[in-house]
Amino acid sequence: MVPRHGFRFHAPDAHTTSRLEEAVGGRALPLDVVTLASRLLFAAPPVEGATPYVGVRASYDRSMELDELGGARARSPADAAVRLRQMLERAVAHALDGTARAAVLAGGGLDSAALLALAHRWGRENGVSVFAVALDFGGKGDDRPYLAALERHLGCEVLRVRPEDASGRIELFLRGVDAAPFTWPSGGMEVEALARARANGAEVVLTGVGADELVDGEPRSLGRLALRAPRAALRSARVMRGFARPSSPVVAWVARPLLSALAPAAVHRWRSRRARTPLPLWAGPALRASLDAGHRSQERRSSTLETSMWALPHHEHLAWIRHQEDLAAGIECRQPFLEAHVRALVAEFEPSWLLEGGIRRGLFREAVRDLLPNVLLEREDKAGFEDGLRRFLMAAGGFDVLRPLVSVTELASLGLVDPRVLAEAFDAFERAPDDGEHWGNVSPVLAVEGFLRARSEAA
């Protein structure tokens, strides 16, 4: 099966390949410290197209066969919901075209549930077998009751994978994937789920990657709405559900964004220059310098960032994580929510429309209302991965597996991490393994350190 999209790596000798490991070709190429610095943070890389190696660049092939929807632009939230549904149906059909059996990575969240429902319906109509593969764990925002409701509603097959089943995947975290650090904390579990889907006959797996950024909506868009409909903006702010609620929603979601929208361009440029990525306490001098350089680079590219959602490094970061998981699991994933024309369609909508009904993902809920049980349509929370991550780590050997990396000798030698402060952060992590902030603060650092040590051993 021919992949619909993917990375192309360009090596110094002009050799181009879809595998970074092949582009490096076993050569001891110098490290790109700025890129390594970006991988330490639980966020997007600040430099697009960069790899961990000097001179080796990555480009993401976004060419899709899916056409634009066509027709007049939506004139209301109701029109937008209809057009969004039509585009999602086409994106799912495009993703499943040419397959006989496919899986959808779906736990019980709204976006993946809708994706499963769309795929399941299309599969029944077109003779394609579609099943769900889900990570099975509890904790905050437990997905399992919602998945059970969806399973009954659709009458679909569900393959459940426990965190403990993925314990052997800890090696990916410790050594990296495709000649690069594997920093996604839940990546090992997801790789196991994808591999189980492949073993269960799936030819491709559909995922909901990118849905959060696409259809969540932003409450601060109510400030823009207030320019033409102040009463509607105030009413929406007061009743808004699904987001962490500030002490004064009207001030945070309407007044401040409205004042910002009215401010001169010079004020926005001044604020941009003053803005900086928050530094972790363990950051070394080289990491601080690289973040400053990345911020200046973003300032120079601001016009591009405004015109192309795919130009945002975060989206490339999502694609990179999935690239590594695809390779490790041996199966291709396809992401309908990252289809270029899906994103372009949503970009046409008034931002406040995404909050239709005074709820996060309100427009999306309307677009898929007939597909899902009410318990899912009314869901306001999202699952936390901490319970699954803790169970995965304990099954893989616990903190003893990670402790040898805490000295961060490789990263300290590059000036990227202060080992003393990192050790303190690891101690806090060990005391509270169910705290998601600790996972985001510590695990990417240890993954990069493990990758660097494995690279040194192989040299």
Side-chain angles (χ1 to χ4, degrees), residues 150 253 272 348 374 422:
L150 183 63
W253 292 341
S272 177
E348 293 178 1
N374 286 333
L422 193 280

Side-chain angles (χ1 to χ4, degrees), residues 129-204:
S129 173
V130 175
F131 65 95
V133 58
L135 293 172
D136 188 51
F137 56 84
K140 180 181 178 181
D142 191 345
D143 268 344
R144 293 175 298 180
Y146 299 98
L147 179 60
L150 183 63
E151 183 180 13
R152 292 191 297 269
H153 183 77
L154 297 179
C156 65
E157 175 188 356
V158 177
L159 176 64
R160 291 173 170 85
V161 180
R162 301 176 308 140
E164 292 82 1
D165 298 335
S167 60
R169 304 289 179 177
I170 191 68
E171 191 68 15
L172 304 176
F173 181 83
L174 298 175
R175 304 187 69 84
V177 175
D178 198 24
F182 189 51
T183 59
W184 198 243
S186 60
M189 294 189 295
E190 291 171 5
V191 167
E192 182 63 24
L194 298 177
R196 294 291 180 96
R198 178 173 58 84
N200 197 39
E203 300 168 38
V204 298

Side-chain angles (χ1 to χ4, degrees), residues 96-103 119-131 203:
L96 293 175
D97 184 43
T99 66
R101 183 162 167 81
H120 190 255
R121 173 177 289 188
W122 189 90
R124 287 202 316 266
E125 295 172 352
N126 293 273
V128 176
S129 173
V130 175
F131 65 95
E203 300 168 38

Side-chain angles (χ1 to χ4, degrees), residues 217-416:
E218 169 53 69
R220 288 175 296 181
S221 66
L222 297 176
R224 175 173 165 173
L225 176 63
L227 290 172
R228 64 181 189 281
R231 290 184 179 178
L234 293 173
R235 184 170 57 252
S236 293
R238 293 188 181 111
V239 303
M240 188 64 62
R241 296 179 290 146
F243 295 96
R245 195 168 183 83
S247 57
S248 176
V250 169
V251 172
W253 292 341
V254 181
R256 287 176 184 163
L258 176 60
L259 293 174
S260 178
L262 297 173
V267 173
H268 291 289
R269 289 194 295 269
W270 176 78
R271 287 175 177 171
S272 177
R273 286 193 296 270
R274 289 178 60 85
R276 289 292 184 271
T277 302
L279 290 171
L281 295 177
W282 46 255
L287 177 58
R288 296 171 187 274
S290 72
L291 289 178
D292 285 341
H295 177 76
R296 290 192 296 272
S297 175
Q298 281 195 334
E299 284 182 357
R300 290 192 295 270
R301 295 184 296 107
S302 60
S303 61
T304 302
L305 293 176
E306 292 168 359
T307 57
S308 172
M309 299 184 81
W310 258 112
L312 288 169
H314 180 60
H315 297 147
E316 183 175 304
H317 187 47
L318 293 176
W320 170 254
I321 293 164
R322 191 57 67 193
H323 162 79
Q324 289 184 300
E325 292 184 348
D326 287 8
L327 289 180
I331 191 170
E332 181 190 354
C333 288
R334 295 177 180 172
Q335 288 74 240
F337 291 110
L338 292 184
E339 285 272 17
H341 289 306
V342 174
R343 306 193 75 82
L345 175 69
V346 175
E348 293 178 1
F349 300 156
E350 285 292 325
S352 60
W353 290 356
L354 297 176
L355 306 173
E356 177 68 6
I359 189 171
R360 184 179 189 174
R361 303 189 181 197
L363 184 71
F364 181 72
R365 294 170 198 263
E366 292 305 314
V368 299
R369 182 163 295 278
D370 62 309
L371 296 173
L372 302 176
N374 286 333
V375 67
L376 255 165
L377 288 168
E378 293 301 316
R379 182 176 185 181
E380 296 181 23
D381 65 345
K382 288 177 66 66
F385 271 67
E386 292 81 4
D387 178 66
L389 290 169
R390 177 186 55 77
R391 288 170 53 183
F392 163 69
L393 179 59
M394 294 304 108
F399 286 97
D400 289 343
V401 175
L402 303 179
R403 193 169 289 107
L405 300 171
V406 176
S407 60
V408 290
T409 51
E410 297 282 344
L411 289 167
S413 69
L414 295 172
L416 291 171

